[in-house]
Structures are given as structure tokens and as C-alpha cells.
Amino acid sequence: MLMPLYRFRILDGAEISDNGDLEFPDLASARVEAIRYAGALLHDAGRINSLGDRWRMDVTDPSGVTLVSVSFDVVDAPGIR
């Protein structure tokens, strides 16, 4: 049985990464993997600096329709300089 195809796109004002088509049994599985992948990016300090303070990862179908979006905003606390 063929599994559905999904893409993970990382956007930081412009698309900076597209990993191509990946197979997952369903959208719920692709969503879990997107959250895990985003966590790995957050863990990797070098990649965070390149991503900036506001970025998101979209899970799309192969035609580019967004199915899930995981967003991140880095905001300094008030009074911090």
C-alpha cells in the first residue's frame, strides 16, 4: 500500500529549506515528525541563529497545500536589553 507524501518547509521570511517528499502513514504521523524535527532545530544553536526570531515549519502535500504549521517566535522579556 502506498503511503501519502508530505513535505516539511522551513520559512523565515522566505523559504529556506524544503526536504522533498517524505512518506508517512497519515497526517497525524507527519505532524508528530514535524514537531520532533522543529525540536531538533531548536536544540541546534547554530541553526537557530540562522533561522532568526520568527520562523515556522509547514507540513504540505506534494502540491504545496499547507496541512499543518508549527510556528516559533523568540521574544525578549520586557526590560531586557
Side-chain angles (χ1 to χ4, degrees):
M1 180 164 80
L2 294 175
M3 288 196 286
L5 298 174
Y6 301 94
R7 289 185 179 189
F8 295 175
R9 292 179 21 212
I10 300 171
L11 300 107
D12 178 12
E15 184 172 322
I16 59 174
S17 176
D18 182 339
N19 64 348
D21 295 338
L22 299 173
E23 291 183 336
F24 291 96
D26 52 33
L27 179 57
S29 298
R31 181 182 184 274
V32 166
E33 186 57 29
I35 293 167
R36 285 185 186 150
Y37 182 33
L41 292 175
L42 289 169
H43 185 264
D44 183 356
R47 296 283 301 268
I48 288 178
N49 290 336
S50 68
L51 288 172
D53 291 342
R54 175 174 280 173
W55 60 278
R56 76 175 194 267
M57 181 184 304
D58 290 342
V59 178
T60 72
D61 67 11
S63 69
V65 174
T66 299
L67 305 171
V68 173
S69 187
V70 181
S71 301
F72 296 90
D73 290 318
V74 178
V75 179
D76 291 330
I80 301 295
R81 295 182 195 253

